[in-house]
Amino acid sequence: MPDRFSEILSFIKIAESGSLSEAARRLGLSLAATSRRLSQLETRLGVALVRRNSRNLTLTEEGAVFYERAGQALADMDHAESAVMRAATEAAGVLRVVTTVSVGRSRLAPMLQHYAMLHPEVTIHVETAAQLGNIVETGHDIAICFDPPADSALTMKRLADNPRVICASPAYIARRGEPRRIMDLTMHDTIAVESGQQDAWRMIDLAGVRPRRTLRTNDGEVARLWALDGAGVVIKTLWDVAEDLRAGRLQQVMKTIVLPSSPIVALYVARQGETAKVRSCVDFLARCLRQERGETIAVSGQASPAPQRAFS
């Protein structure tokens, strides 16, 4: 197979210089190699592209047409390469981000709006979903999620930790009393947010203790609303209920039990992480989320005592 690109590049240099020897010098080739490339191109196209004489050469009519179009094609290729290389150093283009509905609305939307203001060459496209799919198939650049799958083939960057708390409404506590120890759960109702076959209560070694009654849901917002309505004690991430804790709508209970945090991560295809738009956005979100985590913990007054019991 002939090297079509080399043949065309050699022809462009010949046309621009008007001399085989000058074209050979610009290309860093021998005169024979440059002449051979021109002959191969003319043979493949079936037409003469240049007229040769002892002093110089000129383009034939077909050569002029080919020079104009091939020259534009090479210029377009140069522009394409420059644009792609700039993507590694300059944040620009469309950035497609997908996340869960609650996180997208409550946390990421204002942060991504701020990022877009700082990077006017980037167009942010945010989608929310009840469950995150395969971003390779959906065409997204970044997925932001809690507790990512352990077997994901995507590159994962931990952005921040989202502490978990156990809480209940003041009305529930006034009616049923405040649970302080794991044993107290035998006299209380609990609310469980299920994910697959797991729920947050299974992070605690209950040692056979069974709550009086349990409401279950796969929707974190439903669980929060149940807790606000006084339906029971719930485990929620601090960011989900920080405003409720500050406003007194919920109250942290069982403070001596320290729960593992829920990691917030960014998932992306490894090569995509080398582009400036993905890299800068992920770093920006990590800074914002870690700062907000500190502020949320400080304002909510979350306790951090020694754990009462080991986790399962």
Side-chain angles (χ1 to χ4, degrees):
M1 291 290 291
D3 186 344
R4 296 178 63 186
F5 179 80
S6 297
E7 292 175 358
I8 294 171
L9 178 61
S10 296
F11 169 71
I12 297 298
K13 294 299 182 184
I14 292 169
E16 290 175 346
S17 63
S19 165
L20 279 171
S21 58
E22 177 60 20
R25 187 188 67 80
R26 295 183 184 183
L27 291 166
L29 298 172
S30 67
L31 179 59
T34 304
S35 179
R36 183 166 57 253
R37 286 184 177 181
L38 174 60
S39 297
Q40 289 171 341
L41 178 61
E42 289 179 322
T43 299
R44 183 162 58 82
L45 296 179
V47 294
L49 299 175
V50 300
R51 300 185 187 91
R52 303 169 179 82
N53 59 39
S54 59
R55 294 185 177 181
N56 55 22
L57 53 82
T58 58
L59 298 180
T60 63
E61 181 178 353
E62 293 80 7
V65 171
F66 191 74
Y67 170 71
E68 179 181 358
R69 297 189 177 182
Q72 184 60 53
L74 287 181
D76 290 342
M77 290 177 62
D78 288 340
H79 293 156
E81 288 185 352
S82 297
V84 170
M85 287 188 290
R86 282 199 304 272
T89 56
E90 302 174 13
V94 178
L95 181 64
R96 299 183 183 277
V97 182
V98 63
T99 186
T100 55
V101 175
S102 59
V103 175
R105 289 176 179 169
S106 64
R107 299 293 170 183
L108 289 186
M111 293 180 186
L112 290 171
Q113 180 183 4
H114 188 194
Y115 173 83
M117 292 175 61
L118 297 175
H119 299 83
E121 298 302 316
V122 178
T123 300
I124 297 290
H125 182 94
V126 180
E127 292 185 19
T128 59
Q131 292 184 335
L132 301 184
N134 187 328
I135 65 172
V136 176
E137 297 175 356
T138 59
H140 293 98
D141 298 297
I142 309 172
I144 308 297
C145 60
F146 291 110
D147 298 320
D151 60 350
S152 175
L154 300 171
T155 297
M156 179 181 74
K157 178 169 181 177
R158 197 182 191 106
L159 301 179
D161 289 325
N162 190 357
R164 290 183 173 97
V165 294
I166 307 174
C167 52
S169 71
Y172 176 86
I173 293 172
R175 185 174 74 252
R176 302 292 299 279
E178 179 181 345
R180 300 180 184 278
R181 304 172 303 161
I182 290 175
M183 286 298 299
D184 295 343
L185 292 177
T186 58
M187 303 300 295
H188 285 273
D189 301 328
T190 59
I191 300 168
V193 182
E194 296 181 323
S195 176
Q197 299 300 315
Q198 299 295 320
D199 68 62
W201 287 103
R202 296 189 184 183
M203 294 183 296
I204 302 175
D205 182 3
L206 296 176
V209 172
R210 294 179 64 114
R212 194 177 74 94
R213 181 177 60 190
T214 298
L215 288 172
R216 300 184 181 276
T217 178
N218 67 343
D219 190 319
E221 183 61 15
V222 169
R224 172 180 167 271
L225 293 175
W226 279 345
L228 289 171
D229 200 40
V233 183
V234 69
I235 296 176
K236 291 291 290 177
T237 62
L238 186 55
W239 278 330
D240 286 342
V241 295
E243 293 299 326
D244 297 320
L245 293 172
R246 279 192 286 261
R249 294 185 294 267
L250 291 176
Q251 179 179 325
Q252 187 179 353
V253 298
M254 303 174 72
K255 294 181 180 180
T256 57
I257 298 177
V258 180
L259 298 165
S261 296
S262 171
I264 301 177
V265 304
L267 296 172
Y268 50 89
V269 179
R271 295 291 295 179
Q272 284 292 94
E274 299 176 9
T275 62
K277 64 181 180 181
V278 170
R279 185 174 62 250
S280 62
C281 184
V282 169
D283 291 344
F284 177 82
L285 291 176
R287 291 193 300 271
C288 290
L289 288 169
R290 287 168 186 166
Q291 178 181 351
E292 184 171 324
R293 175 184 182 276
E295 294 172 352
T296 300
I297 291 176
V299 172
S300 68
Q302 184 198 19
S304 299
Q308 182 191 79
R309 185 181 294 271
F311 303 115
S312 58

